[in-house]
Amino acid sequence: ILGGILGALAVYFQLPALVVVASFPLGMSNGIGLYIRYAAMELVPQEEKAFAMTLVLSGGCASAFLGPESGELTKDIFGDDYTYLGLYLCIVAFNILGALSVGFVSFPPMKQMEVDVESGTGQKSIKEILKETPFVGPTLIAGLSWALMLVPMSIARVAMKSVGFASRE
């Protein structure tokens, strides 16, 4: 959601550097979205795994068509001065729908970790997990990787348009 909002602001205020900044949270959300596919298989009982996989794959197939088509339909909705503003707002809408749909998932109760009396370790708070290098490092690398992938693609479309190519060429 944040990446879409930053991208929309970048287009509205014509700030190319903000497009690059917007690519980072967009990249993070793509990585998280791919991870959710694997989580779906772990949350369902064995007898429902085939159906869960069917839903995940069907969603991926639908997204492969809906994403590019909605982008093409919304990129010029606000006129030539705000090309791609509609696309970024569409990204916000899709991410809100995704967040709401995850809210309908009934997650199994978390297992309580036993506390190791000698070392004092046990269940960690989210703050502790976020501060740990084994979490922060890979998360930042994954987000940067996706952002690096998104930047050339978003800039390439703008560059193609500036030299006279249509978005579908």
Side-chain angles (χ1 to χ4, degrees):
I1 297 171
L2 176 64
I5 291 171
L6 289 175
L9 290 172
V11 171
Y12 186 79
F13 292 109
Q14 299 180 0
L15 301 169
L18 191 55
V19 172
V20 175
V21 172
S23 295
F24 189 76
L26 287 173
M28 295 285 286
S29 69
N30 281 336
I32 291 168
L34 293 174
Y35 173 74
I36 288 174
R37 292 179 180 191
Y38 295 110
M41 295 306 296
E42 294 178 10
L43 290 175
V44 296
Q46 184 65 34
E47 61 274 3
E48 295 177 17
K49 285 191 185 237
F51 182 67
M53 179 57 82
T54 301
L55 288 177
V56 169
L57 291 174
S58 299
C61 291
S63 296
F65 291 103
L66 290 175
E69 288 305 312
S70 62
E72 185 64 29
L73 292 172
T74 61
K75 73 179 177 74
D76 290 322
I77 201 167
F78 293 103
D80 288 339
D81 290 339
Y82 300 110
T83 302
Y84 300 111
L85 178 60
L87 174 63
Y88 280 111
L89 294 176
C90 193
I91 288 171
V92 172
F94 280 148
N95 279 294
I96 288 172
L97 284 173
L100 290 174
S101 67
V102 169
F104 290 110
V105 175
S106 58
F107 294 96
M110 291 182 62
K111 296 176 185 172
Q112 284 287 7
M113 294 176 57
E114 293 183 24
V115 176
D116 184 350
V117 179
E118 290 180 20
S119 66
T121 60
Q123 191 168 358
K124 297 178 182 178
S125 71
I126 193 74
K127 268 185 168 179
E128 292 173 320
I129 293 171
L130 291 175
K131 289 180 183 177
E132 291 181 358
T133 304
F135 172 79
V136 174
T139 302
L140 289 176
I141 290 170
L144 181 63
S145 299
W146 279 96
L148 290 173
M149 182 190 75
L150 285 173
V151 169
M153 288 192 302
S154 59
I155 292 172
R157 284 188 166 259
V158 173
M160 285 174 58
K161 184 177 181 181
S162 68
V163 293
F165 286 103
S167 61
R168 298 245 181 204
E169 291 182 299

